[in-house]
Amino acid sequence: MALFSRSSTSPAQQFAQRFNPLRDTVYDEGAMFSGSAMSADLAALRPLAEGLGAESSELAQLLWLQFVVYSKRQMDDEGLPLGLRALAIRAALGDLTPTDRYQQHYAIGESALQSEEYDTAIEHLRQSALWANHDGAVLSLEQKLGIREEIGYALHEAGRFAEALAHNQQLLGDAQTAFGSDKDARLSGLINNLAQNAYELGDAAQARHYLAQRLALGQALHDDDIVLDTLFQQGVLAHEGGDTALARSLFQQRVTIAHASGDDDLLAETEATLAELAEREQSSR
């Protein structure tokens, strides 16, 4: 009979005992925790995870949870490199399901947008869109279109305006088919993006075309927010093009709509915009 018993806990077991409660807390929607304290607790686990191997599943889990916590803390600059490394390890290990791939590429893409790392965002949002079409990743059609709209936004912010325009033109056609109408409110942002793409490419005529399309959409939907914003952009474009009479007419239309709405704050804003236009016209004479 042994005089004493000895328990042996492996490094992997030690890691799990310390890591799992932290992971469960972070992913518990109802849990409250200090972001800075959680980051410190996870950082303290780093040597143990690294001791299990630079390409270990444990290290990937730790890095990913650090990334998630940094994202919650709106510290994407710190978290993004950790998320990228975690995803690379997991991809190499081959233990990601299609849903994992969609979700993790999307999370990286969103974080990269926040960090203004637009090329990284484009790469991972495209991967997310690819995996979102896999049979194992169940997303609604609207969600899939939403990922593609974010890709167009990232292309624009990256200064890749021609790519953004071509991408968004294809997306607009697909979205109209998917929604079964060219008068769906969900198209408003996308059409506006197309106008911005064209404007940055120096194609004022095409920008005006898309703004006219967006205005018609807003009017058909009786959506004053869309109409007012579009009239403002049309007015700015007219002013920049030297057509002061058209710019004044467009800004006056905004005042008329605001007056009819009975919203005093909106009326004050539209009148101030019209007055600013008049001042700019006066100073340019």
Side-chain angles (χ1 to χ4, degrees), residues 3-282:
L3 297 178
F4 61 89
S5 63
R6 182 177 62 191
S7 63
S8 176
T9 305
S10 70
Q13 290 171 323
Q14 293 175 34
F15 173 82
Q17 288 170 0
R18 295 173 60 186
F19 174 78
N20 290 352
L22 300 177
R23 177 200 61 203
D24 293 344
T25 298
V26 171
Y27 287 123
D28 182 350
E29 293 184 3
M32 300 289 289
F33 61 88
S34 163
S36 58
M38 181 62 73
S39 289
D41 288 342
L42 293 171
L45 271 177
R46 185 77 169 264
L48 182 55
E50 289 177 336
L52 294 168
E55 304 298 321
S56 66
S57 175
E58 290 83 0
L59 181 57
Q61 291 178 62
L62 176 64
L63 293 172
W64 187 261
L65 195 61
Q66 286 183 297
F67 162 71
V68 170
V69 172
Y70 275 128
S71 294
K72 288 178 178 289
R73 297 175 65 193
Q74 298 182 327
M75 297 173 65
D76 294 278
D77 290 350
E78 291 81 359
L80 183 58
L82 304 178
L84 287 166
R85 186 176 172 198
L87 183 55
I89 295 172
R90 286 178 156 174
L93 291 172
D95 60 357
L96 291 171
T97 66
T99 298
D100 290 335
R101 289 181 181 274
Y102 146 69
Q103 291 176 338
Q104 294 187 19
H105 280 294
Y106 184 76
I108 291 288
E110 290 292 287
S111 181
L113 284 178
Q114 294 300 316
S115 292
E116 299 182 359
E117 296 286 345
Y118 296 116
D119 289 332
T120 298
I122 293 162
E123 175 188 351
H124 287 277
L125 289 172
R126 279 176 168 166
Q127 284 293 317
S128 179
L130 178 67
W131 286 102
N133 284 321
H134 193 281
D135 289 341
V138 181
L139 287 102
S140 69
L141 181 58
E142 189 169 355
Q143 287 174 312
K144 293 177 183 179
L145 292 170
I147 298 172
R148 292 173 61 190
E149 187 166 352
E150 289 194 80
I151 294 169
Y153 169 80
L155 285 166
H156 184 88
E157 292 301 311
R160 295 159 62 174
F161 304 122
E163 287 180 75
L165 180 66
H167 174 90
N168 286 330
Q169 285 172 332
Q170 177 67 52
L171 178 55
L172 178 60
D174 292 345
Q176 288 172 333
T177 299
F179 299 152
S181 170
D182 62 357
K183 293 294 187 288
D184 190 295
R186 290 169 290 182
L187 299 173
S188 173
L190 179 54
I191 298 170
N192 193 57
N193 291 344
L194 281 160
Q196 296 295 325
N197 300 153
Y199 176 82
E200 292 295 345
L201 288 167
D203 191 339
Q206 190 168 31
R208 285 194 293 269
H209 163 76
Y210 284 119
L211 288 175
Q213 186 175 346
R214 185 173 185 244
L215 181 62
L217 172 64
Q219 291 170 334
L221 297 171
H222 305 289
D223 189 319
D224 283 352
D225 289 338
I226 295 175
V227 171
L228 289 166
D229 180 64
T230 308
L231 287 170
F232 176 81
Q233 293 188 66
Q234 288 179 317
V236 171
L237 200 59
H239 176 69
E240 290 182 354
D243 193 339
T244 56
L246 176 59
R248 197 180 310 113
S249 172
L250 292 164
F251 282 14
Q252 181 60 58
Q253 288 179 54
R254 298 180 79 244
V255 174
T256 301
I257 293 170
H259 189 273
S261 74
D263 186 328
D264 291 339
D265 290 337
L266 182 60
L267 180 59
E269 182 272 321
T270 56
E271 288 179 335
T273 303
L274 181 59
E276 182 181 352
L277 175 66
E279 289 176 11
R280 290 176 179 268
E281 291 176 357
Q282 187 66 34

